[in-house]
Amino acid sequence: MIKNFFVLVLSLLSTALIANENLTETIKLEKHYKVENTFSGDLYENTSFHFIFAKNKKTKEKEILGYLYNGAQVEKLENIYSKKELSIISFHSTTSHLTVLFSYKEKKDEFLKRVVYDLSTKKITENESSSNEDMEASFRTKNKSVLIFKNDDKIFFRSFTGDKKAKESLYTFKDDKDPIKTFFEDNHISTIKTDEFVANGSTSELKAYLENDKIIFTKEDEKQNKCAVLALSLSEETIIPQPILNFKNTNPNKKFKKTVSYYSNGKLFLVSLSKKIGGLKIFDITKNEELNSIAFDENLVSQLKTSAAFDGIEKFLKNAGKNKYNPTVTVNKTTSDKLVIRMDYVDVNYGYKYNWWWHHQQFFMWQQQFHMQQMQMNMPSGFGPSQPEYFFPSITKDEKHYFELLIDLNGKLLNEELPRTMYNEVDKKQFVDTLEKIKSIKHESSCFLKDSFRYIGYSKKLKSFIFQTNKI
């Protein structure tokens, strides 16, 4: 019965995705192109860009065929020609330009290729390459991309804003005992998306948050139930770091087993728990002081907003404290200058991911990399997009068992209805996964616009690429 119901739901979702809701254009490629992959990204409220990665069988070269789509009309972008296999690192845009950052290998060296499109003329106005060695992670906002590089000698950043060239910021480690070097040792940086709502936060120990012209790094220590915070400014070429701050969540009677954190608006939200006890501490890192301490117990029940699968604080702590789960915390801003804090737990194999623009393309990369036995933990090479934060697929559970708290900007717990949030919760995974199950389409890629899901894919029936928009 349950299986039949699932099949029915999947069928209905698939039908909705391929329905002729806003299918206005098709693209038919010339026969000398062998398609290898596609890529889709958001530009404006209703406009997206789409790349078709192909090999020209006549010239033996790689080509990237670019298109703009506003929901009604497709416009062609100038082609990119390359003898090397290109992988997309990031992209961002303004009202007049689209900037795409690619990486490629030359023998054993990594290079960065910045391509800028003039959205009025559809021509490439900048096309330059530079070294891309030691890149570890990246941020992408609407009009900016920030790349993070780290090696044994230094940590440095390249900030690309609009169509401008990179601005670099550097901190050189003084010696092996430099506290900044020690802070980053033995941990991979997980960059956190803060300009949209991601239901479950990262479970990585070392997280990074982009805030205007600085990056806030947080590093958790579960054994001591504490979190270290480091702020690095990107406004100067030579970085002068602020002192590392340490914040702790303690209980005088019992020891916590797990600790997880989230940073937002100058505040650190530090959650620690075991199978029977748990609590949240809120700190103002600009003043280096504690704002509030909230115990997870039955006294909190009346102030909780919960999911359908939530089964009480006691059951929540019992499950979140198990070895097979990791607790998560994330924060959503409201339109009334308040904050909604969400606590949940996920399977230990869960991997934080918010960049749905690379989801289809990364799956293609995994297949290629497995086939060629070229698995790498850093950044995959190959023709098509790449994702710097995580490489291996993650396993998640769709069931949500969260509870939420509402606080004001001073950390005070509020007992009132949840106001409208700044960022809506959209089950993007449902759209992306359903699209991948449609057998009549291949080489699909997608992106999310303000109120819609946009994708392209090769229709086996039409023998052409279709452009599709579905409302969210």
Side-chain angles (χ1 to χ4, degrees):
M1 184 70 179
I2 295 176
K3 182 179 180 182
N4 292 336
F5 176 75
F6 174 77
V7 172
L8 175 61
V9 171
L10 179 60
S11 176
L12 291 173
L13 287 172
S14 301
T15 302
L17 280 178
I18 62 176
N20 193 25
E21 183 176 329
N22 198 356
L23 174 61
T24 58
E25 291 287 345
T26 61
I27 295 293
K28 195 177 185 77
L29 300 186
E30 297 178 32
K31 292 184 178 180
H32 61 263
Y33 284 117
K34 179 183 177 183
V35 176
E36 298 187 341
N37 200 12
T38 60
F39 181 92
S40 298
D42 59 295
L43 277 178
Y44 316 131
E45 191 171 295
N46 296 311
T47 303
S48 54
F49 72 94
H50 306 270
F51 288 154
I52 297 176
F53 294 78
K55 182 177 181 179
N56 189 320
K57 291 184 283 187
K58 289 183 178 179
T59 64
K60 308 300 183 185
E61 283 192 333
K62 306 286 187 178
E63 292 186 31
I64 302 177
L65 290 69
Y67 303 89
L68 298 181
Y69 183 51
N70 62 7
Q73 180 183 7
V74 174
E75 295 181 281
K76 183 74 176 67
L77 294 171
E78 183 179 350
N79 284 6
I80 297 176
Y81 301 90
S82 176
K83 293 182 179 179
K84 301 296 180 182
E85 296 181 340
L86 301 179
S87 299
I88 292 179
I89 294 174
S90 185
F91 67 90
H92 58 272
S93 62
T94 65
T95 55
S96 58
H97 292 86
L98 165 66
T99 299
V100 186
L101 304 179
F102 298 91
S103 71
Y104 66 92
K105 278 191 173 183
E106 187 85 47
K107 295 182 179 179
K108 293 184 179 181
D109 297 324
E110 288 273 357
F111 290 90
L112 174 72
K113 185 180 186 69
R114 183 178 73 107
V115 178
V116 181
Y117 293 92
D118 185 313
L119 296 176
S120 177
T121 65
K122 314 301 183 295
K123 298 294 185 182
I124 293 172
T125 57
E126 294 279 351
N127 190 341
E128 59 183 16
S129 296
S130 58
S131 174
N132 197 47
E133 294 293 330
D134 302 318
M135 180 184 159
E136 179 160 333
S138 70
F139 289 101
R140 186 186 79 84
T141 65
K142 189 65 180 175
N143 70 335
K144 179 187 289 188
S145 295
V146 178
L147 310 185
I148 303 175
F149 301 81
K150 181 169 66 71
N151 57 34
D152 289 338
D153 301 316
K154 58 185 178 292
I155 183 169
F156 63 102
F157 310 88
R158 284 189 186 141
S159 303
F160 299 84
T161 303
D163 60 330
K164 297 180 177 64
K165 294 186 178 181
K167 178 181 178 181
E168 296 194 354
S169 304
L170 166 71
Y171 176 76
T172 303
F173 303 136
K174 296 178 176 61
D175 50 42
D176 287 341
K177 296 182 180 180
D178 187 315
I180 307 299
K181 180 175 184 177
T182 302
F183 183 91
F184 289 105
E185 279 181 345
D186 303 324
N187 277 283
H188 179 78
I189 299 171
S190 175
T191 54
I192 307 303
K193 186 77 167 173
T194 56
D195 57 357
E196 67 179 55
F197 180 65
V198 181
N200 291 111
S202 172
T203 57
S204 297
E205 290 183 3
L206 180 58
K207 305 179 184 71
Y209 303 80
L210 181 63
E211 187 177 70
N212 299 321
D213 63 345
K214 63 182 178 180
I215 299 179
I216 309 297
F217 294 94
T218 63
K219 184 179 181 182
E220 297 150 13
D221 184 339
E222 282 198 335
K223 291 182 179 179
Q224 299 187 50
N225 306 119
K226 71 176 185 178
C227 182
V229 178
L230 169 66
L232 297 180
S233 173
L234 306 179
S235 60
E236 302 295 335
E237 289 186 13
T238 302
I239 297 174
I240 301 176
Q242 298 177 7
I244 298 173
L245 303 177
N246 287 284
F247 302 92
K248 197 162 187 177
N249 197 344
T250 58
N251 184 293
N253 300 317
K254 293 186 178 182
K255 184 178 180 181
F256 292 122
K257 182 180 178 182
K258 299 179 179 180
T259 294
V260 66
S261 69
Y262 192 91
Y263 170 85
S264 178
N265 283 52
K267 297 173 182 61
L268 178 70
F269 300 84
L270 187 59
V271 174
S272 294
L273 55 81
S274 62
K275 289 185 178 181
K276 293 185 177 181
I277 61 170
L280 163 70
K281 282 188 181 289
I282 305 171
F283 300 93
D284 185 328
I285 70 164
T286 60
K287 298 179 181 179
N288 194 15
E289 67 179 19
E290 181 180 321
L291 296 178
N292 200 358
S293 180
I294 302 171
F296 297 161
D297 54 32
E298 293 305 317
N299 296 324
L300 194 63
V301 171
S302 63
Q303 294 168 288
L304 298 182
K305 283 72 181 175
T306 66
S307 65
F310 180 78
D311 196 22
I313 287 287
E314 184 177 343
K315 186 68 173 294
F316 180 94
L317 291 173
K318 182 178 180 180
N319 286 332
K322 292 179 179 179
N323 291 333
K324 65 178 182 177
Y325 295 121
N326 282 324
T328 66
V329 58
T330 189
V331 175
N332 197 357
K333 302 174 185 177
T334 73
T335 55
S336 56
D337 287 333
K338 297 171 184 175
L339 300 174
V340 177
I341 309 167
R342 177 179 290 191
M343 262 71 61
D344 206 338
Y345 56 88
V346 293
D347 189 277
V348 291
N349 294 310
Y350 158 88
Y352 172 81
K353 61 185 179 212
Y354 61 81
N355 287 334
W356 295 102
W357 48 266
W358 63 270
H359 184 95
H360 303 296
Q361 301 88 336
Q362 193 63 40
F363 183 75
F364 168 83
M365 294 295 298
W366 290 329
Q367 290 178 316
Q368 293 295 96
Q369 296 284 342
F370 274 116
H371 179 69
M372 299 173 67
Q373 296 184 344
Q374 292 179 343
M375 297 297 292
Q376 297 178 17
M377 284 301 297
N378 249 339
M379 184 183 303
S381 62
F383 193 55
S386 68
Q387 156 62 11
E389 282 87 9
Y390 283 93
F391 186 65
F392 292 105
S394 62
I395 302 171
T396 62
K397 291 187 67 175
D398 293 332
E399 186 181 42
K400 297 177 180 179
H401 17 57
Y402 64 81
F403 67 87
E404 294 178 323
L405 301 171
L406 180 67
I407 66 164
D408 63 18
L409 295 182
N410 294 316
K412 180 183 177 181
L413 183 62
L414 304 174
N415 190 8
E416 58 187 63
E417 289 298 315
L418 293 181
R420 182 181 176 186
T421 54
M422 191 79 71
Y423 307 111
N424 294 327
E425 182 175 0
V426 178
D427 191 352
K428 296 182 177 181
K429 185 176 184 296
Q430 175 185 346
F431 285 88
V432 174
D433 288 352
T434 303
L435 176 58
E436 288 179 347
K437 291 181 174 70
I438 300 175
K439 302 299 183 182
S440 60
I441 297 175
K442 65 178 182 178
H443 300 308
E444 69 275 4
S445 65
S446 62
C447 62
F448 290 85
L449 304 179
K450 182 180 179 181
D451 299 310
S452 61
F453 176 63
R454 173 75 52 79
Y455 73 87
I456 67 169
Y458 182 80
S459 169
K460 299 176 184 178
K461 181 178 180 180
L462 300 176
K463 299 187 184 303
S464 301
F465 277 92
I466 62 172
F467 291 76
Q468 174 76 29
T469 304
N470 292 88
K471 292 181 181 179
I472 295 177

